[in-house]
Amino acid sequence: MTKNAKFIPVLKFDWLTRFFDPLMKLTMSEKKFKKALLLQADIKDNDIILDFGCGTATLMIMAKKEAPKASIYGVDVDPNVLKIAKNKVKNSGYEISLRAYDGISLPYKSETFDKVLSSLVFHHLTRSQKEIVLKEIYRTLKFGGELHIADFGRASNIFMRGMFLIIQLFDGFINTSDNVNGLLPEIIREAGFDKVIEHKRIMTLFGTISLYRAIKLL
Ligand SMILES: C[S@@+](CC[C@H](N)C(=O)[O-])C[C@H]1O[C@@H](n2cnc3c(N)ncnc32)[C@H](O)[C@@H]1O
């Protein structure tokens, strides 16, 4: 990671990072929405998969359990979270490749991946970071490749909107507003993707998570 890469740690402060996994289990229906994302991505045995903003590696380990012959790569900008991910991957016994991201260029060749997954990362990114990241994801996807995102979207009801204020107070308003205003599909389309759809909505304690799907067409 370059020294200048700016990012919001998983729970805003470095010293809270170690509490991320238990908190996700308790408050975010983690298994439910990650299983739904994997169901949507429909990973096949020989697929080459990137988890963008892989955090502590939970989604990648779940993916490997479902499709052991798929090749799984994870990238994240935060060296502290990557340390936790490395330990979890080692303990899982699965072969998963982890790399650091410099916030600008993904460390992979163009047209590498069949599918890119990303869970709860985009609400950490400003509009310009979202655009940079989506262009890089587009570059590294094969033609016909798919992008599958789970992240906070437009609130399903006023209660969900109210609860999402807690996330906004914690993670920031500038980076979260595109999400809650329902603008992610438009931003994904502007990066060159086709067939962008919101596939599903899941309510959690801290707001509505939307599952998006998009394709890099031939
Ligand atoms: C809320 S956590 C989600 C982690 C994991 N994807 C999950 O669902 O458990 C957000 C993740 O996004 C990463 N992140 C924040 N800014 C990023 C950026 N500019 N590029 C890549 N990852 C970033 C953080 O380091 C963190 O691991």
Side-chain angles (χ1 to χ4, degrees), residues 6-11 20-21 24 30 33-34 51-59 75-78 81 101 103 118-125 129 133 150 171:
K6 282 191 183 156
F7 64 93
I8 303 169
V10 281
L11 290 175
F20 179 70
D21 274 352
M24 282 289 285
E30 182 182 28
F33 85 80
K34 286 185 176 168
D51 182 1
F52 175 76
C54 62
T56 58
T58 306
L59 182 66
V75 72
D76 202 287
V77 76
D78 181 351
V81 94
Y101 172 53
S118 185
S119 153
L120 296 183
V121 182
F122 278 78
H123 75 281
H124 280 239
L125 309 178
Q129 286 174 321
V133 159
D171 284 338

Side-chain angles (χ1 to χ4, degrees), residues 12 14 18 40 53 63 67 69 76 83 106 120 128 139 141 152 156 160 168 172 178 184 189 200 209:
K12 189 161 178 172
D14 281 338
R18 73 190 116 134
Q40 178 183 297
K69 288 188 185 158
D76 202 287
K83 267 188 217 154
L106 286 174
L120 296 183
S128 64
R139 178 183 69 75
L141 266 174
F152 293 107
S156 317
M160 287 287 106
Q168 293 194 290
D178 283 337
L184 268 192
R189 227 170 270 123
K200 196 179 174 80
I209 289 185

